[in-house]
Amino acid sequence: MTQTTERFSVTAWRDHDEEACTRPGMALGTIDLPEVTGEACDRLWHGGARRVALDEPVDLTATGAAAERRAVALLCLVRELTARAVHVDWDLRLPAEGGEQQWKLLSHLQPPRVIGDVTDADAALYAWRTNHYLCKCVWRQGPGFVQIRDRRWGELRRFTADEPEYRTAIAALDFGVDHREVPPAVLTEFTEELLVLRVGDLAWWLPYRVNRWLQEAMAI
């Protein structure tokens, strides 16, 4: 699994509610993350973080390998915190061309505070906020198979694969990887199913791993 080793700073609080976060003892202060991994986000959760603010925007308009890696790493952070039911305060910049499709691809993540450079950004942000819920686009590992459950488009789309190359590809894509390192047939299928976001040469896995179900497992 590819994981970023860049450092990131976030500000954290002990409650989801913005007003509650202003009360004494609720602020956890600025926390330096040496890397973005599921384990790092688990440590935030177990440390009491229920609301986290990113100290920089997720800029998908930036060009250059370093900026693209940074943007994907920040998206990983938002995704992993969303999976843990942590409220995330973050800002998003999307390219003016194709931005509408991109925000819908990301609409299973905690909604951002603002969306920049997109036509009708206020309408997009309103739709994102009013239609968002936990587990909107998730994947889970079963014995010998993976299953993706996607409700971003208004109905349930389910994708199940038991071939080992799919599991290997998801592990590579999870924290972003050069698209040329993924078998073309598998990447094409995932892309057609709208499960992968391209950021420059990087391909990034959109669904998050099931961490907290909204309902009992048998109901899912």
Side-chain angles (χ1 to χ4, degrees):
M1 180 182 295
T2 303
Q3 298 173 334
T4 176
T5 57
E6 296 182 72
R7 303 184 74 85
F8 299 86
S9 293
V10 300
T11 306
W13 298 265
R14 297 182 183 275
D15 199 278
H16 293 92
D17 184 76
E18 191 170 8
E19 182 177 350
C21 290
T22 64
R23 296 172 183 169
M26 300 304 289
L28 293 170
T30 299
I31 299 172
D32 185 41
L33 300 179
E35 56 185 355
V36 176
T37 63
E39 291 79 6
C41 292
D42 280 339
R43 287 193 294 273
L44 281 173
W45 172 269
H46 292 303
R50 297 298 181 268
R51 188 181 189 109
V52 168
L54 273 60
D55 287 358
E56 60 187 287
V58 177
D59 188 358
L60 296 180
T61 69
T63 57
E68 290 161 0
R69 284 196 303 270
R70 186 87 180 170
V72 168
L74 288 166
L75 280 176
C76 288
L77 185 54
V78 176
R79 185 194 63 194
E80 294 302 302
L81 290 172
T82 299
R84 288 156 179 78
V86 175
H87 183 98
V88 188
D89 292 321
W90 62 297
D91 301 327
L92 176 63
R93 291 191 65 195
L94 292 172
E97 185 175 350
E100 180 178 357
Q101 176 69 5
Q102 285 199 352
W103 82 255
K104 290 180 179 178
L105 288 174
L106 298 170
S107 62
H108 61 301
L109 305 178
Q110 180 71 224
R113 292 174 294 197
V114 297
I115 305 176
D117 297 345
V118 176
T119 303
D120 295 329
D122 289 342
L125 191 56
Y126 177 80
W128 193 336
R129 287 172 174 168
T130 55
N131 291 290
H132 178 264
Y133 51 86
L134 197 63
C135 296
K136 198 168 189 178
C137 182
V138 296
W139 73 280
R140 57 181 174 174
Q141 176 91 46
F145 72 93
V146 293
Q147 184 180 83
I148 299 98
R149 301 172 70 87
D150 183 5
R151 291 184 172 87
R152 288 171 296 168
W153 316 104
E155 75 281 346
L156 174 62
R157 298 183 184 182
R158 186 165 53 193
F159 182 95
T160 304
D162 54 11
E163 297 88 343
E165 60 266 29
Y166 286 90
R167 298 194 297 274
T168 301
I170 291 172
L173 291 163
D174 200 18
F175 283 81
V177 69
D178 190 298
H179 68 96
R180 289 161 290 201
E181 297 183 28
V182 182
V186 176
L187 183 60
T188 296
E189 189 166 1
F190 282 156
T191 302
E192 289 175 349
E193 294 288 341
L194 303 176
L195 300 173
V196 169
L197 177 70
R198 282 287 298 274
V199 181
D201 286 334
L202 295 176
W204 178 64
W205 185 241
L206 285 157
Y208 49 82
R209 188 89 178 255
V210 174
N211 192 281
R212 298 185 185 281
W213 288 114
L214 281 178
Q215 306 174 48
E216 293 181 7
M218 291 301 294
I220 303 294

